[in-house]
Amino acid sequence: MADSMITVFERPHSLKPVPSHFCSGCHHGTVHRLVAEALDQLELQQQTIGIASVGCSVLLYEYFDIDVVEAPHGRAPAVATGVKRVHPDSIVFTYQGDGDLAAIGTAEIIHAANRGEHLTVIFVNNTTYGMTGGQMAPTSLGGQVTTTTPYGRDLETDGNPIRMAELLALLDGTHFSARVSVDAPRRVAQAGKVIHKAFEMQKNRAGFAFVEVLAACPTNWGLSALDANERISQEMMPCFPLGTFKDLSGAQG
Amino acid sequence: MNKRLFVKGNEAVCIGAIAAGCRYYFGYPITPQNEIPEYMSRELPGLGGTFLQAESEVAAINMVLGASAAGVRVMTSSSGPGISLKAEGLSYMAGSELPAVIVNIMRCGPGLGGIDASQADYFQAVKGGGHGGYHLIVLAPDSIQELYDLSMVAFDLADQYRVPAMILGDAMIGQMKEALIPHPYQPLAELPAKDWSVTGKGNRVQGNTVKSLFLQDGALEAHNWRLHDRYQQLKDREVRCETIGIDDAELILTAFGGAARIAKTAVSMARQAGLKVGLIRPITLFPFPEQVFRQATERCRRVLCVELNNGQMVEDVRLSVDRQADVRFYGRPGGTGSLPTPEELFEQLQKHYKD
Amino acid sequence: MKKLVIDEEFCKGCGLCVIACPLELITVGTKVNKQGYPLAQISDANQVKCTACSACARMCPDAAISVYLPKKD
Ligand SMILES: Cc1ncc(C[n+]2csc(CCOP(=O)(O)OP(=O)(O)O)c2C)c(N)n1
Ligand code: SF4
Ligand code: SF4
Ligand code: SF4
Ligand SMILES: [Mg+2]
């Protein structure tokens, strides 16, 4: 920009200047940007190692200009543990979907949290398996029609939407757990602050920090980008309330 | 430094690993290999290393994946049921070209089976226990000394070829105590720098990526050809095999690991009885000593393969031998009391020597 | 000087910036980019009205929007 202008908002440096493969209106892009902004603001890009999971966000390394290890489906917290134990001074984060973290990878996330691994976990809850074509996720809402719950999720037989942020907050090893959303400008700003904090805590070696982000998958919800965005406050928030469920960052000093 | 030690096989493998610079261990308890995590949990913290008891073998192998991606020597160990759980991670590590050492102290199966010595995981180890078509380097020690020596070799080969290496032992070898001379570690070769590892991008222009997903047109095929070449190099350069008395043999006995210990005694009994019996003991199961078998069977036409299973390595023996060779099999499929005695094997030798 | 710059390579025409702008300054038009997505646009007249509040940029999932302000001196 010309010298006569002040930059108010720009694409973060930690994101590569390439278009993403995400669908139009997919909130993965927003969450990617918020993570990159946190890395920029905290000047962590050079020392950060991202752990990609299996889901629509598997191509993390195509978009983040950082070192990345790709983990098997659900195993990102275990891979992150291995990396972080070797490089305790680096910043290690996992980026996982709800199928990845809250179904196949439940054991790995609970035990990484329980050990109090110094990790930042970004959990993108879009109530579905985006990558494989919109099947039921453990976070799918009661009655939600997915490609494997064609008659709607039956809470009697298909289980209940799982609230990971609350669940993980119960563990002594968890130092921070919050749920945010990116469906409105002020909530995006708030989500950015929380994600920033979750990285800052790791920088200060303050333990396991977990951020759940409510996100839209317009494609598999069968909604326009705007209607999908709207669904987050209308349908998801009543089941997945926003808030901070645990914060020991103060206690950690 | 070279003081003789008197240790269990499970300890020998740890002593070797630590001598080779391994400071990271991730595992989950299972009999008959528990002395390995126990030893590592005692020794690694004092060496500035990390021992971590994971929540499962699935988690353990993925911690190994992460530590290896981060550029260090790392090890895990287990036995049958746990190795099955590690299969997923092993496939990803093979695809991501990540070196590490995996110890399988085999017990018998299938399922929970039992905790006695067995060699029933040969197929799982050698043919790729996980999906997608890959190989591990597979080393089969038959003594405590060799467990020590091969654990160092395993780290070197894994690093050199960027292929995970498995040490395939069994309950007998793991639990047995023998003298061990802990020779100091000498790398096999000048090992390549791990400039591919993740450390944080630092001043590098590009971030390093450790991955097994290749979506671009032709990228996966090219990747798989590269891995194939790597496996071929291993076949060309890294075959290890012990042979005893095969030059004049009329019957060649072949066995690996624990079975080979018994076989060696049976072979000397046969020699004492005047029977011309030799032994081929593959030390690397992958790469398999195909040439050794081919050449030996150009002259000696009869081979008896002995395994603690119902016939697994024998398939590779049959693929390797000269076309006119006659390959026979004697196996014991596991469980308490199923370990053959040298006398029983000697009987088998006499039988197959004659007809 | 433009306050709002929408990168046509990144924009996917989702319209989230449109609903984000409190002054309703952005529209998704008929022009498409290489990937075939219709593009978000802001007219020159609306550039003038833009307060550089960045609400649109914050909402954009594809980091397609940059916001600038003229220096006051
Ligand atoms: C072991 C294994 N099982 C199943 C799959 C197929 N698979 C790929 S992504 C995925 C679910 C992804 O959903 P989620 O984690 O919610 O991510 P999203 O795409 O919604 O962001 C599944 C089941 C796999 N890759 N590996
Ligand atoms: S399928 Fe859903 S989660 Fe995946 S990129 Fe498209 S909108 Fe995003
Ligand atoms: S939010 Fe971004 S991608 Fe969507 S229409 Fe606006 S500029 Fe384009
Ligand atoms: S910066 Fe604010 S005022 Fe300007 S277009 Fe964006 S949302 Fe509207
Ligand atoms: Mg999902």
Side-chain angles (χ1 to χ4, degrees):
Chain A
M1 258 303 121
D3 285 348
S4 55
M5 306 295 270
I6 302 165
T7 302
V8 184
F9 196 102
E10 256 182 0
R11 221 183 139 81
H13 290 297
S14 298
L15 273 192
K16 294 181 187 173
V18 294
S20 77
H21 73 287
F22 299 127
C23 308
S24 168
C26 173
H27 283 164
H28 270 304
T30 317
V31 184
H32 273 47
R33 196 193 72 230
L34 294 178
V35 170
E37 283 173 358
L39 298 184
D40 280 10
Q41 288 156 9
L42 292 161
E43 299 184 350
L44 295 176
Q45 183 187 5
Q46 317 300 347
Q47 68 198 82
T48 294
I49 300 166
I51 314 296
S53 65
V54 181
C56 279
S57 58
V58 66
L59 298 177
L60 206 70
Y61 41 83
E62 300 281 353
Y63 307 133
F64 281 92
D65 187 10
I66 57 171
D67 280 4
V68 175
V69 184
E70 177 192 274
H73 194 21
R75 319 297 177 218
V79 172
T81 298
V83 171
K84 183 73 179 185
R85 295 297 181 109
V86 173
H87 297 307
D89 295 331
S90 63
I91 299 293
V92 181
F93 76 93
T94 70
Y95 185 111
Q96 304 175 257
D98 40 12
D100 192 87
L101 183 141
I104 194 167
T106 324
E108 284 78 10
I109 192 64
I110 285 183
H111 288 278
N114 197 48
R115 288 190 302 268
E117 297 291 340
H118 297 273
L119 301 172
T120 304
V121 173
I122 306 296
F123 171 49
V124 177
N125 174 358
N126 59 12
T127 72
T128 192
Y129 285 20
M131 190 191 217
T132 41
Q135 294 82 5
M136 182 185 77
T139 45
S140 294
L141 302 177
Q144 183 175 333
V145 172
T146 71
T147 53
T148 50
T149 51
Y151 311 110
R153 184 179 192 173
D154 181 344
L155 299 182
E156 293 279 318
T157 53
D158 301 326
N160 299 281
I162 191 165
R163 297 186 186 88
M164 290 308 293
E166 288 89 332
L167 199 151
L168 291 174
L170 295 174
L171 301 174
D172 288 349
T174 301
H175 288 64
F176 183 80
S177 181
R179 183 180 293 115
V180 296
S181 171
V182 291
D183 66 321
R186 72 193 148 81
R187 286 203 275 266
V188 176
Q190 173 63 16
K193 277 189 202 140
V194 169
I195 288 172
H196 182 282
K197 175 167 186 163
F199 278 98
E200 195 173 35
M201 284 181 67
Q202 188 177 165
K203 201 177 164 187
N204 300 336
R205 297 174 198 273
F208 184 87
F210 181 83
V211 183
E212 174 171 344
V213 187
L214 301 185
C217 171
T219 302
N220 286 306
W221 293 356
L223 297 175
S224 71
L226 297 185
D227 289 345
N229 191 64
E230 185 73 11
R231 176 178 182 255
I232 291 180
S233 59
Q234 295 302 306
E235 295 179 24
M236 284 180 79
M237 283 184 202
C239 178
F240 297 110
L242 304 188
T244 300
F245 304 100
K246 188 163 193 182
D247 184 356
L248 301 183
S249 59
Q252 289 289 316
Chain B
M1 191 71 177
N2 280 2
K3 203 178 69 174
R4 276 158 69 99
L5 306 174
F6 185 62
V7 295
K8 277 192 177 186
N10 282 339
E11 292 165 335
V13 78
C14 297
I15 300 169
I18 289 173
C22 172
R23 293 293 178 272
Y24 293 86
Y25 175 94
F26 303 91
Y28 187 86
I30 185 169
T31 309
Q33 61 82 59
N34 288 323
E35 294 81 3
I36 298 176
E38 286 164 8
Y39 188 95
M40 292 309 229
S41 70
R42 268 198 315 275
E43 298 300 322
L44 286 180
L47 295 167
T50 292
F51 166 87
L52 198 160
Q53 181 170 323
E55 59 270 28
S56 68
E57 289 87 349
V58 175
I61 192 68
N62 282 290
M63 291 171 187
V64 168
L65 187 159
S68 173
V72 297
R73 290 195 156 178
V74 53
M75 180 168 112
T76 185
S77 61
S78 190
S79 187
I83 300 291
S84 292
L85 286 187
K86 289 186 197 292
E88 174 194 49
L90 288 174
S91 167
Y92 278 77
M93 290 181 69
S96 307
E97 303 173 70
L98 288 175
V101 172
I102 301 95
V103 182
N104 180 0
I105 301 298
M106 288 182 281
R107 54 189 263 169
C108 34
L112 208 47
I115 59 168
D116 296 288
S118 161
Q119 296 184 322
D121 300 348
Y122 177 95
F123 281 152
Q124 187 194 39
V126 170
K127 307 295 176 185
H131 63 282
Y134 65 90
H135 283 290
L136 304 175
I137 296 163
V138 184
L139 302 163
D142 80 335
S143 69
I144 276 40
Q145 183 68 50
E146 208 174 47
L147 264 170
Y148 173 83
D149 295 341
L150 289 184
S151 86
M152 300 197 265
V153 168
F155 278 104
D156 285 355
L157 291 180
D159 280 351
Q160 195 176 343
Y161 294 92
R162 292 187 64 184
V163 173
M166 177 173 281
I167 295 177
L168 196 62
D170 60 57
M172 182 195 345
I173 302 267
Q175 295 298 328
M176 192 171 76
K177 265 190 165 185
E178 259 180 0
L180 160 68
I181 302 173
H183 307 291
Y185 168 64
Q186 280 282 335
L188 286 179
E190 195 173 325
L191 297 169
K194 296 184 174 179
D195 51 7
W196 44 264
S197 67
V198 295
T199 54
K201 170 174 179 273
N203 297 324
R204 274 185 265 117
V205 181
Q206 288 230 328
N208 281 346
T209 303
V210 175
K211 65 177 181 114
S212 64
L213 178 70
F214 295 89
L215 291 177
Q216 241 117 40
D217 238 13
L220 184 58
E221 186 175 10
H223 175 67
N224 277 327
W225 281 122
R226 232 155 38 77
L227 292 182
H228 177 86
D229 290 346
R230 205 85 53 78
Y231 300 144
Q232 193 55 50
Q233 286 170 4
L234 280 162
K235 288 183 182 187
D236 294 344
R237 301 183 199 149
E238 304 296 351
V239 168
R240 286 163 189 253
C241 185
E242 180 187 6
T243 58
I244 298 174
I246 54 171
D247 291 343
D248 67 340
E250 300 290 327
L251 171 65
I252 290 174
L253 184 60
T254 181
F256 71 95
R261 285 183 77 89
I262 310 169
K264 277 180 180 169
T265 313
V267 167
S268 48
M269 288 164 82
R271 282 282 171 178
Q272 267 162 30
L275 307 183
K276 290 182 179 171
V277 176
L279 177 80
I280 298 180
R281 178 175 73 91
I283 297 172
T284 50
L285 300 180
F286 184 86
F288 195 71
E290 296 163 4
Q291 298 299 333
V292 179
F293 279 100
R294 180 150 323 123
Q295 279 161 20
T297 50
E298 276 164 13
R299 201 195 53 75
C300 171
R301 297 300 199 190
R302 192 170 288 177
V303 178
L304 174 63
C305 180
V306 173
E307 299 178 63
L308 306 181
N309 60 46
N310 271 344
Q312 299 191 11
M313 182 177 83
V314 65
E315 294 192 2
D316 285 329
V317 174
R318 288 204 170 103
L319 286 171
S320 303
V321 291
D322 186 85
R323 256 183 303 146
Q324 298 187 34
D326 170 16
V327 177
R328 302 172 180 195
F329 178 74
Y330 177 73
R332 299 290 290 270
T336 310
S338 121
L339 214 55
T341 61
E343 289 73 19
E344 281 174 294
L345 281 196
F346 177 49
E347 247 172 64
Q348 289 296 320
L349 283 177
Q350 287 173 305
K351 186 175 124 199
H352 289 283
Y353 196 82
K354 282 193 223 104
D355 44 37
Chain C
M1 276 294 184
K2 286 202 166 83
K3 296 175 199 155
L4 206 75
V5 179
I6 301 171
D7 190 314
E8 300 196 347
E9 199 194 347
F10 296 145
C11 175
K12 291 180 184 152
C14 67
L16 289 171
C17 55
V18 175
I19 57 160
C21 178
L23 305 178
E24 299 180 16
L25 302 180
I26 309 176
T27 54
V28 174
T30 47
K31 189 181 166 196
V32 296
N33 67 6
K34 263 191 294 184
Q35 298 186 73
Y37 288 115
L39 292 167
Q41 305 170 327
I42 177 165
S43 67
D44 289 347
N46 284 352
Q47 283 278 6
V48 178
K49 293 183 203 158
C50 170
T51 62
C53 73
S54 300
C56 55
R58 214 168 266 139
M59 273 306 278
C60 175
D62 287 279
I65 303 180
S66 306
V67 186
Y68 305 94
L69 259 186
K71 278 188 182 149
K72 285 224 179 77
D73 53 15

